[in-house]
């Protein structure tokens, strides 16, 4: 019986990058909030498109994903682009998260089951140094009405209210829903509903 990890490995093993190789638009838009050369963690970055782009901007990047096939693609992309990206293969729900060492955590379209989502989100916040920033974009509950990407189960989609609760220990600098037009590889194409957050670690 296939596991979710098996399904992601199969998707990432295909020749065409699942989400393309260009960075997510929200990452490009908000990266200027992060300190130049800062240490950045990208959990669930799959084939590394955002990790490699951030490394090319001069950040010290660590990409964590549970798909070995995805990380293989990330390393190949980094080599082609002349970028340095540290990769870690781990399940984010069982990984021993570092605490207080990153200037930024960037989580893009990382969807977790309700049983593990709050714990992983709080671990993201604790991974930040005081003053560090979390940048997050995910598919909103309304995305269930679109075929442009993301989970096809309502319980795997997010809302602003969920994120406000998960990140209550930090200072929420931005929390918004947005309608976007995706053009990110074969699996993210067309009009979409997303929720975005910028959260600062204050402790």
């Amino acid at each position: 019986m296939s596991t979710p990890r098996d399904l992601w490995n199969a998707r990432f093993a295909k020749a065409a990058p699942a989400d393309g190789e260009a960075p997510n638009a929200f990452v490009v838009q908000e990266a200027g909030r992060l300190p130049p050369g800062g240490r950045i963690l990208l959990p669930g970055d799959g084939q590394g498109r955002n990790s490699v782009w951030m490394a090319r901007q001069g950040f010290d990047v660590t990409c964590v994903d549970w798909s070995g096939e995805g990380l293989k693609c990330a390393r190949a992309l980094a080599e082609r682009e002349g970028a340095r990206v540290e990769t870690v293969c781990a399940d984010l729900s069982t990984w021993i998260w570092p605490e207080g060492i990153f200037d930024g955590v960037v989580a893009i379209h990382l969807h977790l089951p309700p049983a593990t989502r709050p714990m992983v989100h709080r671990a993201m916040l604790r991974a930040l140094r005081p003053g560090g920033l979390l940048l997050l974009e995910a598919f909103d509950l309304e995305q269930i009405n679109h075929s442009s990407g993301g989970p096809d189960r309502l319980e795997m989609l997010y809302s602003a209210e969920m994120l406000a609760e998960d990140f209550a220990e930090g200072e929420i600098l931005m929390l918004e829903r947005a309608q976007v037009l995706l053009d990110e590889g074969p699996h993210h194409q067309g009009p979409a509903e997303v929720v975005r957050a910028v959260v600062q670690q204050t402790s």
Side-chain angles (χ1 to χ4, degrees):
M1 182 177 178
S2 295
T3 67
R5 188 187 302 220
D6 293 333
L7 296 175
W8 281 108
N9 276 328
R11 174 180 286 193
F12 290 149
K14 294 178 181 178
D19 300 321
E21 293 183 342
N24 170 266
F26 182 66
V27 173
V28 175
Q29 173 185 308
E30 300 297 332
R33 291 178 181 262
L34 301 168
R39 190 173 183 187
I40 311 299
L41 174 67
L42 289 96
D45 197 37
Q47 293 171 301
R49 63 193 178 110
N50 298 304
S51 297
V52 170
W53 181 83
M54 296 201 76
R56 291 189 65 205
Q57 310 313 302
F59 294 105
D60 180 0
V61 172
T62 300
C63 172
V64 183
D65 201 277
W66 69 348
S67 170
E69 289 293 333
L71 293 178
K72 186 190 302 181
C73 295
R75 289 189 291 270
L77 178 60
E79 184 175 356
R80 289 202 308 274
E81 296 291 332
R84 182 188 176 280
V85 173
E86 178 187 6
T87 59
V88 178
C89 190
D91 182 333
L92 295 171
S93 67
T94 57
W95 188 42
I96 300 175
W97 284 75
E99 296 191 8
I101 66 170
F102 290 99
D103 298 295
V105 173
V106 178
I108 302 299
H109 299 163
L110 169 61
H111 286 264
L112 302 157
T116 59
R117 187 202 74 242
M119 178 272 291
V120 171
H121 281 173
R122 288 164 191 156
M124 290 181 191
L125 198 57
R126 290 194 297 270
L128 291 167
R129 296 186 175 110
L133 292 178
L134 167 74
L135 310 180
L136 180 147
E137 180 181 270
F139 289 109
D140 184 81
L141 293 172
E142 293 298 321
Q143 180 65 9
I144 200 70
N145 300 312
H146 297 278
S147 59
S148 51
D152 58 5
R153 305 200 319 271
L154 193 63
E155 66 270 19
M156 292 291 288
L157 296 170
Y158 293 178
S159 70
E161 291 76 15
M162 289 177 194
L163 298 182
E165 184 174 348
D166 290 354
F167 298 120
E169 295 176 1
E171 180 181 357
I172 296 177
L173 305 181
M174 173 200 291
L175 183 56
E176 65 179 19
R177 294 182 58 222
Q179 296 178 332
V180 299
L181 185 63
L182 294 177
D183 183 15
E184 301 180 342
H187 293 283
H188 287 170
Q189 290 289 325
E193 302 272 354
V194 300
V195 58
R196 293 165 163 175
V198 178
V199 186
Q200 187 167 49
Q201 173 60 278
T202 56
S203 60

